[in-house]
Amino acid sequence: MSINLFIWNVKGFNDKDKHPAFKNWLNVNKVSIGAILETHVKESNMSLIMNYVCLCWSSTTNHSEDEDGRIIIFWRHPYQVTILLKFRQSVTCLVQCPGSPAFFVLAVYAANTVEERKLLWDSLKDTKYDLSLHSSPWIIDGDFNEIIHCAEHSSDFFNQITPR
């Protein structure tokens, strides 16, 4: 069985204008499991949005760790997803599908500050050891809020800095 997995920073999934195109993209690409990041979807709006975009899918968020629900993970039958860890900047789960080997997925939406990102890196190391992932199939993907070139930054201030 083919597994189509994605992790995507949709930035502002509350915007209803984004829903039809996203729903169409899911169907065209026959997505099995996915995570969307930086959604800004309040917990009270989750059911309404997910019922429109991903009707008959299962989902979970990290609203318990961050009121903005930075990460939404969703999947469809026959996949089974067991959430193992939720943090403000990441969600780790075990993905199982009949006839396929199980694997782990860690979806990341890193904080903007260096100090908070250091906490993320520490938690990733802890997750690896706590769940004994050093010999398991493990996908880590997401938005790490890191840039290579100043021009990639959304702030004009950073675009004017000369790299050292």
Side-chain angles (χ1 to χ4, degrees):
M1 175 175 272
S2 174
I3 299 170
N4 289 342
L5 178 142
F6 77 94
I7 297 178
W8 186 2
N9 184 329
V10 296
K11 193 172 186 175
F13 204 57
N14 274 320
D15 182 351
K16 291 180 183 180
D17 292 338
K18 293 183 179 182
H19 299 169
F22 184 79
K23 183 177 182 178
N24 183 58
W25 184 88
L26 286 176
N27 291 326
V28 166
N29 291 286
K30 298 178 176 32
V31 171
S32 312
I33 178 173
I36 53 177
L37 315 172
E38 197 177 4
T39 66
H40 300 287
V41 172
K42 298 297 180 198
E43 194 168 15
S44 58
N45 294 333
M46 270 298 299
S47 295
L48 180 67
I49 291 172
M50 295 308 284
N51 283 336
Y52 173 73
V53 175
C54 303
L55 186 63
C56 299
W57 290 54
S58 299
S59 65
T60 191
T61 72
N62 71 334
H63 278 100
S64 59
E65 307 303 320
D66 188 286
E67 68 181 29
D68 286 332
R70 300 164 60 88
I71 302 169
I72 300 172
I73 296 181
F74 50 98
W75 61 95
R76 66 167 103 195
H77 183 79
Y79 291 87
Q80 296 177 347
V81 173
T82 304
I83 303 303
L84 303 173
L85 297 169
K86 287 185 186 181
F87 297 107
R88 182 173 181 269
Q89 300 181 76
S90 67
V91 175
T92 303
C93 56
L94 173 66
V95 178
Q96 297 171 295
C97 184
S100 298
F103 61 95
F104 295 87
V105 173
L106 194 146
V108 172
Y109 178 52
N112 294 325
T113 67
V114 171
E115 295 78 21
E116 286 180 287
R117 285 196 303 271
K118 286 179 182 177
L119 296 174
L120 168 66
W121 290 110
D122 288 341
S123 76
L124 293 177
K125 287 188 285 186
D126 292 344
T127 296
K128 175 184 174 182
Y129 294 111
D130 293 347
L131 298 177
S132 300
L133 297 177
H134 51 275
S135 61
S136 301
W138 187 25
I139 299 169
I140 303 173
D141 198 359
D143 182 343
F144 289 82
N145 269 320
E146 294 284 347
I147 60 172
I148 295 173
H149 303 286
C150 292
E152 296 175 350
H153 201 283
S154 59
S155 169
D156 289 334
F157 171 76
F158 284 94
N159 292 331
Q160 296 169 9
I161 295 176
T162 304
R164 297 178 193 184

